[in-house]
Amino acid sequence: WLPMGMLAAALMIGVVVWLSRRRLSLAGELAIAVRRREFVVHYQPIIDLQSGRCVGAEALVRWIRPGGKTLRPDLFISIAEENGLMTRITEEVFRLVIRDMEDLLAEDRGMHISVNLSASDLKDGKALRVLQCMLAGTAIDARQIWLEATERGFMDVDKARGIIEQAREQGHAVAIDDFGTGYSSLSYLQRLPLDTLKIDKSFVDTIGTDSATHKVTDHIIDMAKSLNLLTVAEGIERQEQADHLKARNVDFGQGWLYGKPMPVPEFILYYRRNVAA
Ligand code: C2E
Ligand code: CA
Ligand code: CA
Ligand code: CA
């Protein structure tokens, strides 16, 4: 058994080395990608659950690697954060969203777009100042850009509160994203001046199942209502989920039932169909 055990250990070490090498080389490529502007933003429709109409979208970044392969954000955001590259990616996302919004607002002046902030954007107000500069001189009202942050960015809660206050002073609504997936979601609700609560997909998944967790989903909705927060449910895939959330007066929803993230020309066509319907 000894040689087998050693072989397994050697294999394990090999895999770990390979993975860390891959992260390192991705980090290097990311730095280049920022300079070469290899990122695009896709838009996932956000639906007013009561009226069934599309009211805007969430902007989700993708990295188009040289060669054409698309990399989803969960594969590179953490590497970007670890390597101090996230601020520049956030700024690039702002630039792309503002460029696209010129076309989107031609469709509807009232549309809003949600943009994700990373934990590093909540450490100082730099990203927000950049956003403010970029918006100056455009026809876009800051109220049309909503910001989303997960509680990973709220560790230093006083700092996070300052950044959120700054965002709201600039006119942006701020959402707590992936609500309920972290350790201290509840305490942040009390301590941060938030506008919106996004119910994580893992809770939406339980609707219509007989697991006990579906009751938790209802309690989250009730709690958000009692705190006067707008509610957005994410990851809606089945009509049954949409019906339940609508009956519970959740304000907005997004998910594959309505539409996957798509490039801006496709989203504009989607929007026209959806509003005309
Ligand atoms: P998120 O903010 O929770 O975004 C929702 C994710 O769920 C998106 O994945 C979306 O494509 C996916 N999704 C939406 N509806 C459904 C559904 O019905 N079923 C399923 N299975 N999935 C659904 P995506 O685009 O891969 O993004 C993953 C995460 O990466 C995001 O999670 C967000 O945390 C982060 N991210 C994306 N874009 C940005 C960005 O520009 N900046 C930062 N800081 N983070 C970003
Ligand atoms: Ca989000
Ligand atoms: Ca989310
Ligand atoms: Ca999520």
Side-chain angles (χ1 to χ4, degrees), residues 148 177-178 198 200 234:
E148 301 186 358
D177 201 356
D178 298 342
K198 290 196 83 168
D200 190 63
E234 63 177 32

Side-chain angles (χ1 to χ4, degrees), residues 118-154:
S118 80
S120 29
D121 300 316
L122 290 164
K123 291 207 180 91
D124 59 56
K126 182 162 178 278
L128 286 174
R129 284 194 298 278
V130 169
L131 179 59
Q132 192 171 35
C133 287
M134 287 181 176
L135 283 175
T138 71
I140 303 163
D141 186 330
R143 281 174 298 190
Q144 293 172 297
I145 298 185
W146 295 9
L147 300 171
E148 301 186 358
T150 62
E151 65 180 80
R152 280 192 313 114
F154 299 157

Side-chain angles (χ1 to χ4, degrees), residues 160-176:
R161 190 190 303 115
I163 304 286
I164 294 171
E165 278 165 0
Q166 183 189 338
R168 295 179 87 215
E169 270 161 33
Q170 285 179 214
H172 306 289
V174 181
I176 181 167

Side-chain angles (χ1 to χ4, degrees), residues 4 6 17 63 75-76 85 90 115 121 150 154 172 194 207 211-212 218 223 228 233 238 243 264 272 275:
M4 280 302 274
M6 279 168 70
V17 168
W63 175 15
L75 295 170
F76 66 83
L85 294 164
T90 302
V115 182
D121 300 316
T150 62
F154 299 157
H172 306 289
L194 298 157
I207 296 171
S211 81
D218 290 346
M223 188 181 54
N228 286 322
R238 290 178 282 117
D243 294 342
V264 77
R272 285 183 191 158
V275 172

Side-chain angles (χ1 to χ4, degrees), residues 44 56 88 97 103 106 117 139 175 184 229 235 263 273:
Q44 182 176 38
R88 287 164 68 197
V97 166
D103 295 334
L117 295 178
S184 338
L229 295 168
R273 274 201 310 277

